[in-house]
Amino acid sequence: MTKYREWFAAVNRAIVAEMAVQKKTQRQLAEELGVHVVTMNRKLKDPGLFTVGELGQVCESLSINPQNPQTHGTGAN
């Protein structure tokens, strides 16, 4: 697995984990990004589909450091 793919996989794990911790739904994230919930589902299954801006917005919303996603978030703010 390339470093790029490893990073995307780590960010995806952090997003899913923080969504569970914060009890945030795909629908809520979709509304924050201004995309349809089906589109959000697709992007969560393949985080490579996120634009850089969308990924940054999701990470910010969930308190995930994209430079070090393994140390994601601090839970609900």
Side-chain angles (χ1 to χ4, degrees), residues 12 15 19 26 40-47 50:
N12 192 49
I15 289 170
M19 284 177 66
Q26 288 183 16
M40 178 57 68
N41 180 274
R42 195 173 334 115
K43 289 180 181 205
L44 288 172
K45 287 182 180 180
D46 181 2
F50 280 110

Side-chain angles (χ1 to χ4, degrees), residues 28-35 40 43 50 54-55 57-58:
Q28 290 169 316
L29 276 181
E31 288 173 0
E32 289 179 21
L33 261 60
V35 299
M40 178 57 68
K43 289 180 181 205
F50 280 110
E54 290 171 338
L55 196 56
Q57 193 173 351
V58 169

Side-chain angles (χ1 to χ4, degrees), residues 62-76:
L62 296 172
S63 301
I64 296 169
N65 179 353
Q67 294 176 338
N68 192 5
Q70 293 83 1
T71 60
H72 63 82
T74 57

Side-chain angles (χ1 to χ4, degrees), residues 3-56:
K3 275 190 159 186
Y4 175 75
R5 286 189 179 271
E6 289 172 8
W7 179 81
F8 266 117
V11 170
N12 192 49
R13 283 190 301 273
I15 289 170
V16 172
E18 275 302 308
M19 284 177 66
V21 167
Q22 296 181 28
K23 295 179 175 42
K24 190 168 268 194
T25 66
Q26 288 183 16
R27 182 171 305 282
Q28 290 169 316
L29 276 181
E31 288 173 0
E32 289 179 21
L33 261 60
V35 299
H36 193 275
V37 70
V38 173
T39 302
M40 178 57 68
N41 180 274
R42 195 173 334 115
K43 289 180 181 205
L44 288 172
K45 287 182 180 180
D46 181 2
L49 297 175
F50 280 110
T51 66
V52 172
E54 290 171 338
L55 196 56

